[in-house]
């Protein structure tokens, strides 16, 4: 018993030492510089995706959401206007049948959630809230024929090649909610997201929305 107790005490002390080391301030290291042509409205993480072709975080301007890798390279932009029809959700924030093409608009707010299985990125503006799904820092596409999310890397690789070649490149959202509002935030629970909170346009009232 004494040996087990000593080992437990040693492990506890080791854990404490590691935690203390993590909390000690050393210095900030600038890893990259991400240049924008207009003012940045928000920055959101997209998970620990350190590979060059994977998005690590997103920034928002009025023109689009910009996805960046850890090296500071802008990989692709995501915009509320869709290049093709996407699945449409009513203002109740519940999935509804039918297709809808979101118009181009001014991007105002952004939120993200990161789980072990992937990330969701929400972008809002002018009565629309678009949602993109990511896995390992790569944006999924919506397969309308199969009615499923396609996480294969082919479409993502094609869009990256377009972007790096100086051609217009974006990814359509997986779904679009028709809803006006202000600042948006999403449930950060560890397993699944069950609600969102969005400010009404009056700036004093918050709506809690079931997902």
């Amino acid at each position: 018993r004494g040996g087990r107790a000593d080992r437990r005490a040693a492990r506890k002390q080791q854990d404490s030492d590691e935690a203390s080391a993590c909390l000690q301030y050393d210095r900030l290291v600038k890893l990259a510089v991400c240049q924008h042509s207009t003012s940045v409205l928000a920055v959101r993480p997209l998970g620990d995706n350190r590979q060059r072709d994977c998005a690590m975080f997103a920034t928002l301007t009025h023109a689009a959401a910009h996805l960046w890798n850890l090296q500071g390279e802008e990989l692709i932009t995501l915009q509320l206007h869709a290049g093709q029809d996407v699945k449409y959700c009513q203002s109740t924030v519940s999935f509804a049948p039918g297709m809808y093409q979101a118009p181009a608009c001014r991007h105002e707010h952004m939120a993200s959630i990161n789980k072990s299985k992937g990330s969701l990125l929400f972008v809002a503006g002018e009565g629309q809230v678009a949602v993109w799904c990511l896995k390992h820092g790569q944006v999924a596409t919506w397969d309308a024929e199969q009615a499923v999310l396609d996480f294969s890397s082919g479409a993502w690789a094609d869009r990256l090649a377009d972007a790096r070649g100086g051609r217009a490149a974006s990814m359509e959202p997986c779904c679009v909610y028709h809803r006006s509002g202000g600042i948006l935030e999403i449930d950060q629970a560890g397993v699944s997201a069950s609600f969102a909170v969005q400010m009404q346009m009056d700036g004093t009232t918050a709506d809690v929305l079931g997902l």
Side-chain angles (χ1 to χ4, degrees):
R1 290 183 179 179
R4 287 197 296 270
D6 291 343
R7 288 193 294 272
R8 285 197 297 269
R11 285 196 297 269
K12 186 176 181 180
Q13 183 61 47
Q14 182 180 1
D15 292 342
S16 177
D17 292 342
E18 291 177 354
S20 298
C22 291
L23 293 173
Q24 290 176 0
Y25 173 77
D26 184 10
R27 61 192 176 97
L28 294 176
V29 178
K30 184 186 293 186
L31 299 177
V33 176
C34 305
Q35 188 64 47
H36 300 73
S37 58
T38 59
S39 297
V40 174
L41 307 173
V43 181
R44 295 291 183 270
L46 295 173
D48 188 9
N49 311 302
R50 305 191 180 210
Q51 295 83 1
R52 181 172 178 266
D53 289 345
C54 299
M56 189 87 163
F57 63 95
T59 59
L60 184 71
T61 65
H62 284 308
H66 309 260
L67 302 191
W68 304 82
N69 62 17
L70 183 61
Q71 293 73 36
E73 177 190 4
E74 183 175 4
L75 299 176
I76 204 170
T77 59
L78 303 177
Q79 296 176 304
L80 277 165
H81 63 77
Q84 61 187 29
D85 288 340
V86 296
K87 193 171 183 65
Y88 175 53
C89 304
Q90 300 289 352
S91 59
T92 56
V93 200
S94 60
F95 281 96
M99 305 300 289
Y100 180 78
Q101 188 166 4
C105 66
R106 183 180 172 93
H107 302 67
E108 299 284 357
H109 306 286
M110 180 172 65
S112 69
I113 55 176
N114 300 294
K115 312 293 183 183
S116 59
K117 294 182 179 180
S119 304
L120 296 176
L121 183 67
F122 294 72
V123 178
E126 295 186 15
Q128 308 291 335
V129 179
V131 184
W132 286 267
C133 302
L134 299 91
K135 187 174 183 179
H136 304 308
Q138 299 183 358
V139 180
T141 56
W142 175 255
D143 186 334
E145 292 184 1
Q146 301 294 325
V148 295
L149 288 173
D150 182 4
F151 286 100
S152 62
S153 59
W156 172 254
D158 290 343
R159 300 301 173 87
L160 285 187
D162 288 339
R164 287 168 172 160
R167 298 178 293 276
S170 186
M171 302 283 284
E172 292 76 24
C174 297
C175 64
V176 177
Y177 297 105
H178 181 66
R179 178 176 174 79
S180 297
I183 296 173
L184 176 70
E185 192 52 81
I186 311 299
D187 175 15
Q188 300 290 323
V191 178
S192 62
S194 59
F195 70 91
V197 177
Q198 187 174 28
M199 296 299 299
Q200 293 185 11
M201 297 306 294
D202 62 11
T204 62
T205 306
D207 291 333
V208 181
L209 312 167
L211 296 177

